[in-house]
Amino acid sequence: MVRRWLSILLALTVVVAGAWAALAAITPVKVFDPPASQSGPYRNASWLLYAADSKDHPRHWDVFARPIAGGTPTKMNASGTKGWTGGFDPGTNTAIYQEYTSGDSDIRFFNLDTMTRQATPRPLQTGAWEFDPHISTAYMSFFRWQKVNGIWYAKLYLLDRSDNSLTTMASIQSQSGQYFLSDFLGEHYATWTVCSKTCTVRVYNIDTPGVAKLPSTSDNKPQYGSAIDETTASA
């Protein structure tokens, strides 16, 4: 088991280091450039998913889906709420996203074929503040704020879509000086970034549950935005 984890983490480190060198050779291509700011992009074969604010309301984010072929964007979060993106249910035109107000935050589905909001699995139908969702064919991941013995924790959960069971992958105390960023969810691995004085990546093996820290590169730069090619166990 240790040897398998070590080979995976070494592969991830090599690929991440190489990605920085290759990045300089990539020329950015403008995809969509409306006024104000856009962030959190995802796409499938038919739709571009993104969050956007406006010049009049720079702190109010909504979630939109725009046809890849062009056309009018569809706002997904309900009137009177804000939103943030989470991705597409693989092989479908159903998006997952966060919908929130000042006092409540929930994970939602939006079916772009029928233009309707759909219910999420029962474990997500709570009064807790839930955010930063990701989805794969077999799993969902999300954060939930929970108070334990008077102390708040941000817990990162893995939900098995076959039986709605929940697994806690990580937990951070609110006053620890650290924060989480969820990066990737596939069928075999999940990754996230932990930041304090610097940022490092954690890898969760779904098949043989366990968490490992991605080794630092030789120049010890912060690590962000990890993803895994699950066919080669490389990031």
Side-chain angles (χ1 to χ4, degrees):
M1 180 65 66
V2 173
R3 184 173 297 175
R4 181 170 183 265
W5 264 112
L6 180 61
S7 65
I8 291 171
L9 292 174
L10 287 174
L12 291 172
T13 305
V14 170
V15 175
V16 169
W20 285 106
L23 189 60
I26 298 174
T27 302
V29 176
K30 185 182 295 186
V31 176
F32 185 44
D33 188 23
S37 300
Q38 298 81 48
S39 191
Y42 294 87
R43 66 155 293 173
N44 64 8
S46 303
W47 295 89
L48 172 65
L49 181 68
Y50 61 96
D53 63 0
S54 67
K55 291 183 176 180
D56 292 335
H57 302 283
R59 296 184 180 181
H60 182 104
W61 292 91
D62 293 309
V63 179
F64 294 92
R66 174 180 177 268
I68 295 296
T72 303
T74 296
K75 178 185 168 183
M76 298 194 308
N77 54 293
S79 177
T81 71
K82 301 177 183 179
W84 197 259
T85 58
F88 286 99
D89 190 355
T92 77
N93 288 324
T94 296
I96 188 173
Y97 68 100
Q98 176 192 359
E99 183 175 284
Y100 62 101
T101 63
S102 60
D104 185 50
S105 179
D106 296 303
I107 308 303
R108 306 289 193 195
F109 283 139
F110 193 95
N111 187 322
L112 289 158
D113 292 327
T114 61
M115 294 296 170
T116 57
R117 297 182 185 90
Q118 296 180 333
T120 50
R122 186 171 295 277
L124 284 164
Q125 297 175 24
T126 73
W129 187 280
E130 295 160 341
F131 61 102
D132 202 2
H134 290 273
I135 191 166
S136 68
T137 300
Y139 301 99
M140 294 172 61
S141 65
F142 62 95
F143 287 110
R144 175 184 288 164
W145 280 108
Q146 288 185 285
K147 198 172 187 178
V148 181
N149 297 326
I151 299 174
W152 284 100
Y153 293 84
K155 295 190 176 184
L156 178 58
Y157 284 99
L158 180 74
L159 184 149
D160 188 324
R161 299 180 69 184
S162 66
D163 60 9
N164 283 343
S165 60
L166 287 177
T167 300
T168 303
M169 294 189 289
S171 178
I172 285 184
Q173 186 178 331
S174 62
Q175 297 178 345
S176 66
Q178 297 179 314
Y179 64 91
F180 277 156
L181 297 169
S182 184
D183 295 335
F184 169 84
L185 175 66
E187 310 307 326
H188 305 284
Y189 298 97
T191 69
W192 60 92
T193 301
V194 179
C195 294
S196 53
K197 293 181 179 179
T198 189
C199 294
T200 55
V201 169
R202 303 295 195 273
V203 181
Y204 182 84
N205 189 322
I206 297 174
D207 298 331
T208 54
V211 179
K213 179 181 176 181
L214 186 68
S216 299
T217 55
S218 58
D219 53 10
N220 206 35
K221 288 184 176 179
Q223 303 166 351
Y224 305 95
S226 56
I228 294 181
D229 178 353
E230 295 194 305
T231 60
T232 61
S234 299

